[in-house]
Amino acid sequence: MKRSVDRKELPVSRKAYNRFRLRIHEVLGQDSEAEARMVTAFDLYLAGDRGYASGLSAMEEMAFSFLRQDIDAAIERSRKARERAALRKSRSLLNAAVEDGGGTEKLVDDFIKYQREYAINRPDFTPPMTRAERRMFKRGAGVRSTRWDHLRPKA
């Protein structure tokens, strides 16, 4: 089934998008006009247009409201997956910078870009430090890492 919107604009995965299109086709495949209206409403809803239901009949609006619950769940699932991917990418850039002995300017800039992208999506969340980050912090502070750090008195 051919997609009608660009992949970068979709707030859901390609797999989820194709599944929703297939569900619409299975239910409304015998009525091509109703199917076209539902696909248009689906694409508009994904684009964030709140007037997506303007061309639908009452029965089609009811069917779309049932479908909308699943669409919202898929949007949330994709948002979380993209956040995790951005976090993994930023951490791998930081680890590469640490292994490089401080890293190059480009790696640091990329790290800041991905961290900023992640922070825009969830401004209230501060990701925990990775092992490499903790090690770099301890080296920078001049603290010697030992097995018994937790027994050291807090100063």
Side-chain angles (χ1 to χ4, degrees), residues 52-113:
Y52 63 90
S54 61
L56 300 178
S57 68
M59 186 63 78
E60 291 167 348
E61 280 186 47
M62 186 178 71
F64 193 82
S65 68
F66 289 120
L67 186 63
R68 195 176 68 210
Q69 295 171 358
D70 293 336
I71 294 169
D72 291 338
I75 289 172
E76 183 65 20
R77 201 169 43 244
S78 292
R79 183 188 64 79
K80 288 179 181 178
R82 288 179 179 151
E83 286 176 356
R84 288 190 306 266
L87 184 60
R88 280 193 310 270
K89 177 82 173 182
S90 68
R91 285 190 173 161
S92 69
L93 289 170
L94 180 67
N95 289 339
V98 168
E99 290 172 3
D100 193 24
T104 63
E105 189 132 345
K106 182 186 180 317
L107 286 175
V108 173
D109 289 343
D110 287 345
F111 171 72
I112 290 170
K113 181 186 92 174

Coordinates of all heavy atoms in Angstrom, one line a residue, residues 52-113:
Y52 N -10.0 17.5 11.0 CA -9.9 16.3 10.2 C -11.2 15.7 9.9 O -11.4 15.0 8.9 CB -9.0 15.3 11.0 CG -9.5 14.8 12.3 CD1 -10.3 13.7 12.4 CD2 -9.2 15.5 13.5 CE1 -10.8 13.3 13.6 CE2 -9.7 15.1 14.7 CZ -10.5 14.0 14.7 OH -11.0 13.6 16.0
A53 N -12.2 15.8 10.8 CA -13.5 15.1 10.6 C -14.5 15.9 9.8 O -15.7 15.5 9.8 CB -14.1 14.8 12.0
S54 N -14.1 17.0 9.2 CA -15.1 17.9 8.5 C -15.8 17.2 7.4 O -16.9 17.5 7.1 CB -14.4 19.2 8.1 OG -13.4 18.9 7.2
G55 N -15.1 16.3 6.7 CA -15.7 15.7 5.5 C -16.3 14.3 5.7 O -16.7 13.6 4.8
L56 N -16.3 13.9 7.0 CA -16.8 12.6 7.3 C -18.3 12.6 7.7 O -18.8 13.5 8.2 CB -16.1 12.0 8.5 CG -14.6 11.8 8.4 CD1 -14.0 11.3 9.7 CD2 -14.2 10.9 7.2
S57 N -19.0 11.5 7.3 CA -20.4 11.3 7.8 C -20.4 10.9 9.2 O -19.4 10.7 9.9 CB -21.1 10.2 6.9 OG -20.5 9.0 7.2
A58 N -21.6 10.9 9.8 CA -21.8 10.6 11.2 C -21.2 9.2 11.5 O -20.6 9.0 12.6 CB -23.2 10.7 11.7
M59 N -21.5 8.3 10.7 CA -21.1 6.9 10.9 C -19.5 6.8 10.8 O -18.9 6.1 11.6 CB -21.7 5.9 9.9 CG -21.4 4.5 10.2 SD -22.0 3.9 11.8 CE -23.7 3.7 11.4
E60 N -19.0 7.5 9.8 CA -17.5 7.5 9.6 C -16.8 8.2 10.8 O -15.8 7.8 11.2 CB -17.2 8.2 8.3 CG -17.6 7.4 7.1 CD -17.5 8.2 5.8 OE1 -17.4 9.5 5.9 OE2 -17.7 7.6 4.7
E61 N -17.4 9.3 11.4 CA -16.9 9.9 12.5 C -16.8 9.0 13.7 O -15.8 9.0 14.5 CB -17.7 11.2 12.9 CG -17.4 12.4 12.0 CD -18.1 13.6 12.6 OE1 -18.1 13.9 13.8 OE2 -18.7 14.3 11.7
M62 N -17.9 8.2 13.9 CA -17.9 7.3 15.0 C -16.9 6.2 14.8 O -16.1 5.8 15.7 CB -19.3 6.6 15.1 CG -19.4 5.7 16.3 SD -21.1 5.0 16.5 CE -21.1 3.8 15.2
A63 N -16.7 5.7 13.6 CA -15.7 4.7 13.3 C -14.3 5.3 13.6 O -13.4 4.6 14.1 CB -15.8 4.2 11.9
F64 N -14.1 6.5 13.1 CA -12.8 7.1 13.3 C -12.5 7.4 14.8 O -11.3 7.3 15.2 CB -12.7 8.4 12.5 CG -11.3 9.0 12.5 CD1 -10.4 8.4 11.5 CD2 -10.8 9.9 13.3 CE1 -9.1 8.9 11.4 CE2 -9.5 10.4 13.2 CZ -8.7 9.9 12.3
S65 N -13.5 7.7 15.6 CA -13.3 7.9 17.0 C -12.8 6.6 17.7 O -12.0 6.7 18.6 CB -14.6 8.4 17.7 OG -15.5 7.4 17.7
F66 N -13.2 5.5 17.2 CA -12.7 4.2 17.8 C -11.3 4.0 17.3 O -10.4 3.6 18.1 CB -13.6 3.0 17.3 CG -14.9 2.9 18.0 CD1 -16.1 3.0 17.2 CD2 -15.0 2.8 19.3 CE1 -17.3 2.9 17.8 CE2 -16.2 2.7 20.0 CZ -17.4 2.8 19.2
L67 N -11.0 4.3 16.1 CA -9.6 4.2 15.6 C -8.7 5.2 16.2 O -7.5 4.9 16.4 CB -9.7 4.4 14.0 CG -8.4 4.2 13.3 CD1 -8.0 2.7 13.4 CD2 -8.6 4.5 11.8
R68 N -9.2 6.4 16.6 CA -8.4 7.4 17.1 C -7.7 7.0 18.4 O -6.6 7.4 18.7 CB -9.2 8.7 17.3 CG -8.4 9.9 17.6 CD -9.2 11.2 17.7 NE -10.0 11.1 18.9 CZ -11.2 11.6 19.1 NH1 -11.7 12.3 18.1 NH2 -11.8 11.5 20.2
Q69 N -8.3 6.2 19.2 CA -7.7 5.7 20.5 C -6.5 5.0 20.2 O -5.4 5.1 20.9 CB -8.7 4.9 21.3 CG -9.9 5.6 21.7 CD -11.0 4.7 22.3 OE1 -10.8 3.5 22.4 NE2 -12.1 5.3 22.8
D70 N -6.5 4.1 19.2 CA -5.3 3.3 18.8 C -4.3 4.2 18.2 O -3.1 4.0 18.4 CB -5.7 2.2 17.9 CG -6.6 1.1 18.5 OD1 -6.5 1.0 19.8 OD2 -7.3 0.5 17.8
I71 N -4.7 5.2 17.4 CA -3.7 6.1 16.8 C -3.0 6.9 17.9 O -1.8 7.1 17.8 CB -4.5 7.1 15.8 CG1 -5.0 6.3 14.7 CG2 -3.5 8.2 15.3 CD1 -6.0 7.1 13.8
D72 N -3.7 7.4 18.9 CA -3.1 8.2 20.0 C -2.1 7.3 20.7 O -1.0 7.8 21.1 CB -4.1 8.7 20.9 CG -5.0 9.8 20.3 OD1 -4.5 10.4 19.3 OD2 -6.1 10.1 20.8
A73 N -2.4 6.0 21.0 CA -1.5 5.1 21.6 C -0.2 4.9 20.8 O 0.9 4.9 21.3 CB -2.2 3.8 21.9
A74 N -0.4 4.8 19.5 CA 0.7 4.6 18.6 C 1.6 5.9 18.5 O 2.8 5.8 18.5 CB 0.3 4.3 17.2
I75 N 1.0 7.1 18.6 CA 1.7 8.3 18.6 C 2.6 8.4 19.9 O 3.8 8.8 19.8 CB 0.8 9.5 18.5 CG1 0.2 9.6 17.1 CG2 1.5 10.8 18.8 CD1 -0.9 10.6 16.9
E76 N 2.0 8.1 21.0 CA 2.7 8.1 22.3 C 3.9 7.1 22.3 O 5.0 7.4 22.7 CB 1.8 7.8 23.4 CG 2.4 7.9 24.8 CD 2.9 9.3 25.1 OE1 2.5 10.3 24.5 OE2 3.8 9.4 26.0
R77 N 3.6 5.9 21.7 CA 4.6 4.9 21.7 C 5.8 5.3 20.8 O 7.0 5.2 21.1 CB 4.0 3.6 21.1 CG 4.7 2.3 21.4 CD 3.9 1.1 21.1 NE 3.2 1.2 19.8 CZ 1.9 1.1 19.7 NH1 1.1 1.1 20.7 NH2 1.3 1.2 18.5
S78 N 5.5 5.9 19.7 CA 6.6 6.4 18.8 C 7.3 7.6 19.4 O 8.6 7.7 19.2 CB 6.0 6.9 17.4 OG 5.4 5.8 16.8
R79 N 6.7 8.5 20.1 CA 7.3 9.6 20.8 C 8.4 9.1 21.8 O 9.5 9.5 21.8 CB 6.3 10.5 21.5 CG 6.9 11.7 22.1 CD 5.9 12.5 22.9 NE 5.5 11.7 24.1 CZ 6.1 11.5 25.2 NH1 7.3 12.0 25.3 NH2 5.6 10.8 26.2
K80 N 7.9 8.1 22.6 CA 8.9 7.5 23.6 C 10.0 6.8 22.9 O 11.2 6.9 23.3 CB 8.1 6.6 24.5 CG 7.2 7.2 25.4 CD 6.5 6.2 26.3 CE 5.5 6.9 27.2 NZ 4.8 5.9 28.0
A81 N 9.8 6.1 21.8 CA 10.9 5.4 21.1 C 11.8 6.4 20.5 O 13.1 6.2 20.5 CB 10.3 4.5 20.0
R82 N 11.3 7.5 20.0 CA 12.2 8.5 19.4 C 13.1 9.2 20.5 O 14.2 9.5 20.3 CB 11.4 9.6 18.6 CG 10.9 9.0 17.3 CD 10.1 9.9 16.5 NE 9.7 9.2 15.3 CZ 8.6 9.5 14.6 NH1 7.8 10.5 15.0 NH2 8.3 8.8 13.5
E83 N 12.5 9.4 21.6 CA 13.2 10.0 22.8 C 14.4 9.0 23.2 O 15.5 9.5 23.4 CB 12.3 10.3 24.0 CG 11.4 11.4 23.8 CD 10.5 11.6 24.9 OE1 10.5 10.8 25.9 OE2 9.7 12.6 24.9
R84 N 14.0 7.7 23.3 CA 15.1 6.8 23.7 C 16.2 6.7 22.6 O 17.3 6.6 23.0 CB 14.4 5.4 23.9 CG 13.6 5.3 25.1 CD 13.2 3.8 25.4 NE 12.5 3.2 24.3 CZ 11.2 3.1 24.1 NH1 10.4 3.7 25.0 NH2 10.7 2.5 23.1
A85 N 15.8 6.8 21.4 CA 16.8 6.8 20.3 C 17.7 8.0 20.4 O 18.9 7.9 20.2 CB 16.1 6.7 18.9
A86 N 17.1 9.1 20.7 CA 18.0 10.4 20.8 C 18.9 10.3 22.0 O 20.0 10.7 21.9 CB 17.1 11.6 20.9
L87 N 18.4 9.7 23.1 CA 19.2 9.5 24.2 C 20.4 8.6 24.0 O 21.5 8.8 24.3 CB 18.4 9.0 25.4 CG 19.1 8.9 26.7 CD1 19.6 10.3 27.2 CD2 18.1 8.4 27.8
R88 N 20.1 7.4 23.3 CA 21.1 6.5 23.0 C 22.2 7.1 22.1 O 23.4 6.9 22.2 CB 20.6 5.3 22.3 CG 19.9 4.2 23.2 CD 19.7 2.9 22.4 NE 18.9 3.1 21.2 CZ 17.6 3.1 21.1 NH1 16.9 2.9 22.1 NH2 17.0 3.2 19.9
K89 N 21.7 7.9 21.1 CA 22.6 8.5 20.2 C 23.5 9.5 20.9 O 24.8 9.6 20.7 CB 21.8 9.3 19.1 CG 22.7 10.0 18.1 CD 23.2 9.2 17.0 CE 23.9 10.1 16.0 NZ 24.4 9.3 14.9
S90 N 23.0 10.3 21.8 CA 23.8 11.3 22.5 C 24.8 10.6 23.5 O 25.9 11.1 23.6 CB 22.9 12.2 23.3 OG 22.2 11.6 24.4
R91 N 24.3 9.5 24.1 CA 25.3 8.8 24.9 C 26.4 8.2 24.2 O 27.5 8.2 24.6 CB 24.5 7.8 25.8 CG 23.7 8.4 26.9 CD 23.2 7.4 27.8 NE 22.6 8.1 28.9 CZ 21.7 7.5 29.7 NH1 21.4 6.2 29.5 NH2 21.2 8.1 30.7
S92 N 26.1 7.7 23.0 CA 27.2 7.1 22.2 C 28.2 8.1 21.8 O 29.4 7.9 21.7 CB 26.6 6.3 21.0 OG 26.1 7.2 20.1
L93 N 27.7 9.3 21.4 CA 28.6 10.4 21.1 C 29.4 10.8 22.2 O 30.6 11.1 22.1 CB 27.7 11.6 20.6 CG 27.1 11.5 19.2 CD1 26.1 12.6 19.0 CD2 28.1 11.4 18.1
L94 N 28.8 10.9 23.4 CA 29.6 11.2 24.6 C 30.7 10.2 24.9 O 31.8 10.5 25.2 CB 28.7 11.4 25.8 CG 29.5 11.8 27.1 CD1 30.1 13.2 26.9 CD2 28.6 11.7 28.3
N95 N 30.3 8.9 24.8 CA 31.3 7.8 25.0 C 32.4 7.9 24.0 O 33.6 7.7 24.4 CB 30.6 6.5 25.0 CG 29.7 6.2 26.2 OD1 29.9 6.9 27.2 ND2 28.8 5.3 26.0
A96 N 32.1 8.2 22.8 CA 33.2 8.4 21.8 C 34.1 9.5 22.1 O 35.3 9.5 22.0 CB 32.6 8.6 20.4
A97 N 33.5 10.6 22.6 CA 34.3 11.8 23.0 C 35.2 11.5 24.2 O 36.3 11.9 24.3 CB 33.4 13.0 23.4
V98 N 34.7 10.7 25.2 CA 35.5 10.3 26.3 C 36.6 9.4 25.9 O 37.8 9.6 26.4 CB 34.6 9.6 27.4 CG1 35.4 8.9 28.5 CG2 33.6 10.6 28.0
E99 N 36.4 8.4 25.0 CA 37.4 7.5 24.6 C 38.5 8.2 23.8 O 39.6 7.8 23.7 CB 36.8 6.4 23.8 CG 36.0 5.4 24.6 CD 35.2 4.4 23.8 OE1 35.4 4.4 22.5 OE2 34.5 3.6 24.3
D100 N 38.1 9.3 23.1 CA 39.0 10.1 22.3 C 39.9 11.0 23.1 O 40.7 11.7 22.6 CB 38.2 10.9 21.3 CG 39.0 11.5 20.2 OD1 40.1 10.9 19.9 OD2 38.6 12.5 19.6
G101 N 39.7 11.0 24.5 CA 40.5 11.9 25.3 C 39.9 13.3 25.4 O 40.7 14.2 25.3
G102 N 38.6 13.4 25.5 CA 38.1 14.8 25.6 C 37.2 15.1 24.4 O 36.4 15.9 24.4
G103 N 37.4 14.3 23.3 CA 36.6 14.5 22.1 C 36.9 15.7 21.2 O 37.5 16.6 21.7
T104 N 36.5 15.6 20.0 CA 36.6 16.7 19.1 C 35.4 17.6 19.3 O 34.4 17.3 19.9 CB 36.7 16.2 17.7 OG1 35.4 15.6 17.4 CG2 37.8 15.2 17.5
E105 N 35.6 18.8 18.7 CA 34.5 19.8 18.9 C 33.2 19.4 18.2 O 32.2 19.6 18.7 CB 35.0 21.1 18.2 CG 34.1 22.2 18.5 CD 34.8 23.5 19.0 OE1 36.0 23.4 19.4 OE2 34.2 24.5 18.9
K106 N 33.3 18.6 17.1 CA 32.1 18.2 16.4 C 31.4 17.2 17.2 O 30.2 17.2 17.3 CB 32.5 17.6 15.0 CG 31.3 17.1 14.3 CD 31.7 16.3 13.0 CE 30.5 15.9 12.2 NZ 29.4 15.3 12.9
L107 N 32.1 16.3 17.9 CA 31.4 15.3 18.7 C 30.7 16.0 19.9 O 29.5 15.6 20.2 CB 32.4 14.3 19.3 CG 32.9 13.2 18.3 CD1 33.9 12.4 19.0 CD2 31.7 12.4 17.8
V108 N 31.3 16.9 20.5 CA 30.7 17.7 21.6 C 29.5 18.4 21.1 O 28.4 18.5 21.7 CB 31.7 18.6 22.3 CG1 31.0 19.5 23.3 CG2 32.8 17.7 22.9
D109 N 29.6 19.1 19.9 CA 28.4 19.8 19.4 C 27.3 18.9 19.1 O 26.1 19.2 19.3 CB 28.9 20.5 18.1 CG 29.8 21.7 18.4 OD1 29.8 22.2 19.5 OD2 30.4 22.2 17.4
D110 N 27.6 17.7 18.5 CA 26.5 16.7 18.2 C 25.9 16.2 19.5 O 24.7 16.1 19.6 CB 27.1 15.5 17.5 CG 27.4 15.8 16.0 OD1 27.0 16.9 15.5 OD2 28.1 15.0 15.4
F111 N 26.7 16.0 20.5 CA 26.1 15.6 21.8 C 25.2 16.6 22.4 O 24.1 16.3 22.8 CB 27.3 15.3 22.8 CG 26.8 15.1 24.2 CD1 26.2 13.9 24.5 CD2 27.0 16.0 25.2 CE1 25.7 13.7 25.8 CE2 26.6 15.8 26.5 CZ 25.9 14.6 26.8
I112 N 25.6 17.9 22.3 CA 24.7 19.0 22.8 C 23.5 19.1 22.0 O 22.4 19.2 22.6 CB 25.5 20.3 22.8 CG1 26.6 20.3 23.9 CG2 24.6 21.5 23.0 CD1 27.6 21.4 23.8
K113 N 23.6 18.9 20.7 CA 22.4 18.9 19.8 C 21.4 17.8 20.2 O 20.2 18.1 20.4 CB 22.8 18.8 18.4 CG 21.6 18.9 17.4 CD 22.0 18.6 16.0 CE 21.8 17.1 15.8 NZ 22.1 16.6 14.5

